[in-house]
Amino acid sequence: MDAIAPLSTSTSTGVTITALPFDDPVSVVLVRELDADLRERYVDGADVHADASQFLAGNGGRFFVAHLDGEPVACAGIRHETDAAAELKRMYVRPAARGRGIARALLAACEDAAREIGYAELWLETGTMQPEAIALYLSSGYERVARFGQFAGADDALHLGKPLQPERRTQKISADGDSAKASFHTGS
């Protein structure tokens, strides 16, 4: 489970998604903004404390920052939950950047990274005071799973998961049928 995720990818939305350390100054600012947003939504909610080491590649995790026009606008990470499942953590898009498909692109990057590492499922915890997040996850194929993690006993927590299907591979063979010239393309 130590495959390395691509350093940087660009999406059709013009967003660049880059793997960064969780404790990188850019990541830290975005996570602080996320924490402030969650405190506003869940006045009596517990703080979420994330250990930077859980997002290290060697520990089965990754952390990503999305940039739009060179500015950091969003973040999300995955961490090891079980041998078969990663957990999506710290998903956040700055308010001014919402509604542009950035969260969906970031979610896809996290799913791809989890799949590349070797996880069969991606799980997450979200809350009832985050309707936009719930809508994103449900429209992306996530369904309820057994409660787990820090908020397993919280009445306002939703626990969702999705099986990660292997990428479909199609083989293109050169016109002369030479298998040495075959190339594989991934797609969904």
Side-chain angles (χ1 to χ4, degrees):
M1 286 198 183
D2 274 339
I4 301 299
L7 177 62
S8 181
T9 59
S10 294
T11 70
S12 61
T13 61
V15 173
T16 301
I17 298 172
T18 306
L20 283 180
F22 182 74
D23 55 3
D24 182 274
V26 171
S27 303
V28 169
V29 168
L30 288 165
V31 169
R32 284 184 183 149
E33 290 177 22
L34 166 63
D35 288 341
D37 180 77
L38 292 174
R39 278 191 298 278
E40 285 181 26
R41 293 175 193 245
Y42 302 96
V43 177
D44 60 346
D47 283 342
V48 176
H49 300 286
D51 175 5
S53 69
Q54 67 187 339
F55 297 107
L56 293 174
N59 292 340
R62 301 284 185 284
F63 197 78
F64 299 97
V65 170
H67 291 80
L68 179 64
D69 298 327
E71 291 297 316
V73 294
C75 64
I78 59 170
R79 71 172 194 89
H80 175 88
E81 180 63 29
T82 72
D83 287 344
E87 181 183 7
L88 180 72
K89 298 290 289 182
R90 314 311 283 154
M91 176 77 127
Y92 174 71
V93 178
R94 286 182 162 160
R98 293 178 186 165
R100 299 181 188 193
I102 296 169
R104 194 169 299 278
L106 196 52
L107 179 60
C110 288
E111 290 174 355
D112 288 346
R115 187 181 298 107
E116 289 171 12
I117 294 168
Y119 293 112
E121 297 179 33
L122 186 58
W123 296 348
L124 61 94
E125 295 175 301
T126 192
T128 57
M129 301 300 289
Q130 297 165 263
E132 67 280 26
I134 295 167
L136 170 68
Y137 300 136
L138 294 178
S139 71
S140 298
Y142 286 79
E143 298 178 350
R144 287 185 184 260
V145 296
R147 292 177 166 272
F148 68 95
Q150 180 179 357
F151 300 104
D155 291 337
D156 59 356
L158 294 174
H159 297 78
L160 304 172
K162 176 181 176 179
L164 299 173
Q165 302 299 322
E167 289 183 294
R168 200 176 66 205
R169 301 184 91 189
T170 58
Q171 184 177 24
K172 292 190 175 187
I173 307 284
S174 64
D176 63 5
D178 186 350
S179 62
K181 295 180 184 175
S183 63
F184 289 92
H185 302 275
T186 60
S188 42

